[in-house]
Amino acid sequence: MAKAFFIDTTVCTACRGCQVACKQWKGLPAEKTVNRGSFQNPEDLSFTTLKLVRMSEAEIENKLHWLFFPDQCRHCIEPPCLEAAGEPKAIYKDKATGAVIYTKVTKDLDADAIIDSCPYNIPRKGPDGSLAKCDMCIDRVSNGKLPACVQTCPTGAMNFGDYKEMRMWAQARLAEVRRRFP
Ligand code: SF4
Ligand code: SF4
Ligand code: SF4
């Protein structure tokens, strides 16, 4: 059955545990950063940062709000990037989970066309020209484990499971949140 993430931003505290867990599981290096006058760190997704907690400040009804969003590939049901690639050895959809997987063969494709096709600005090009992004922790999920970012989240903001169950859960949470914040 297709799997899905449900990210409940209302309970995300921006602890960045998911961001670090992703790097740990994938064995990806930390990035050199500088203080840009905000908590955003690193600045953006990259070839070695597949998960990023985005932080922004917004004025809503005369009050300043600090908003957090853990960003990663959405594993689209009909992925525009897969269509743009047109090469099943480079980008394919795992039948069992629905995960959209990039392989090293992406280096033989037009990387910019694939990057441009993603409505969420997710894929990133590496030094060898290949593309990288979140793979749904397919190695863990295929072995009955949760994705590393979900496993580590202490607040329940990151959730993962069968698509229908996640969708029902998201709708129930939305109804609850709307009662407090119509
Ligand atoms: Fe938010 Fe959970 Fe990630 Fe912490 S681990 S930043 S609470 S989604
Ligand atoms: Fe990283 Fe795995 Fe979470 Fe994707 S599912 S963001 S690869 S930890
Ligand atoms: Fe969808 Fe973009 Fe992820 Fe491709 S890279 S599956 S288009 S979110």
Side-chain angles (χ1 to χ4, degrees):
M1 187 184 285
K3 303 288 184 190
F5 291 91
F6 161 41
I7 303 181
D8 185 348
T9 52
T10 65
V11 291
C12 175
T13 60
C15 70
R16 284 192 278 232
C18 52
Q19 195 175 299
V20 173
C22 180
K23 279 196 182 281
Q24 279 182 331
W25 183 253
K26 297 285 175 196
L28 294 169
E31 301 206 24
K32 273 195 176 169
T33 60
V34 292
N35 188 335
R36 292 175 208 86
S38 89
F39 278 81
Q40 187 63 61
N41 191 355
E43 192 175 24
D44 200 3
L45 291 168
S46 76
F47 192 69
T48 56
T49 298
L50 312 181
K51 169 98 185 176
L52 183 80
V53 180
R54 296 196 186 279
M55 309 195 184
S56 55
E57 291 170 13
E59 201 178 308
I60 305 167
E61 293 175 352
N62 295 324
K63 268 177 76 181
L64 195 60
H65 291 258
W66 203 16
L67 306 174
F68 315 127
F69 176 59
D71 199 5
Q72 66 185 88
C73 173
R74 313 301 199 270
H75 298 278
C76 302
I77 292 171
E78 291 176 16
C81 62
L82 194 152
E83 204 166 305
E87 165 51 76
K89 284 189 186 137
I91 300 180
Y92 67 93
K93 202 168 181 37
D94 177 59
K95 282 200 177 73
T97 60
V100 177
I101 308 293
Y102 284 18
T103 74
K104 283 285 172 197
V105 181
T106 50
K107 73 177 185 320
D108 300 332
L109 304 179
D110 180 352
D112 293 335
I114 294 165
I115 291 167
D116 287 349
S117 75
C118 174
Y120 304 106
N121 185 24
I122 296 295
R124 293 292 186 272
K125 189 158 61 171
D128 65 350
S130 66
L131 291 165
K133 66 162 194 71
C134 156
D135 67 356
M136 202 191 264
C137 279
I138 189 74
D139 49 350
R140 295 174 61 93
V141 172
S142 309
N143 285 287
K145 291 187 178 300
L146 288 171
C149 54
V150 176
Q151 177 86 48
T152 206
C153 178
T155 67
M158 289 296 309
N159 305 279
F160 182 81
D162 291 342
Y163 176 80
K164 279 187 183 162
E165 190 194 334
M166 290 297 112
R167 201 180 158 87
M168 277 169 56
W169 193 353
Q171 282 166 343
R173 274 294 295 155
L174 190 57
E176 202 177 315
V177 169
R178 273 192 178 140
R179 276 198 289 275
R180 284 179 58 207
F181 303 102

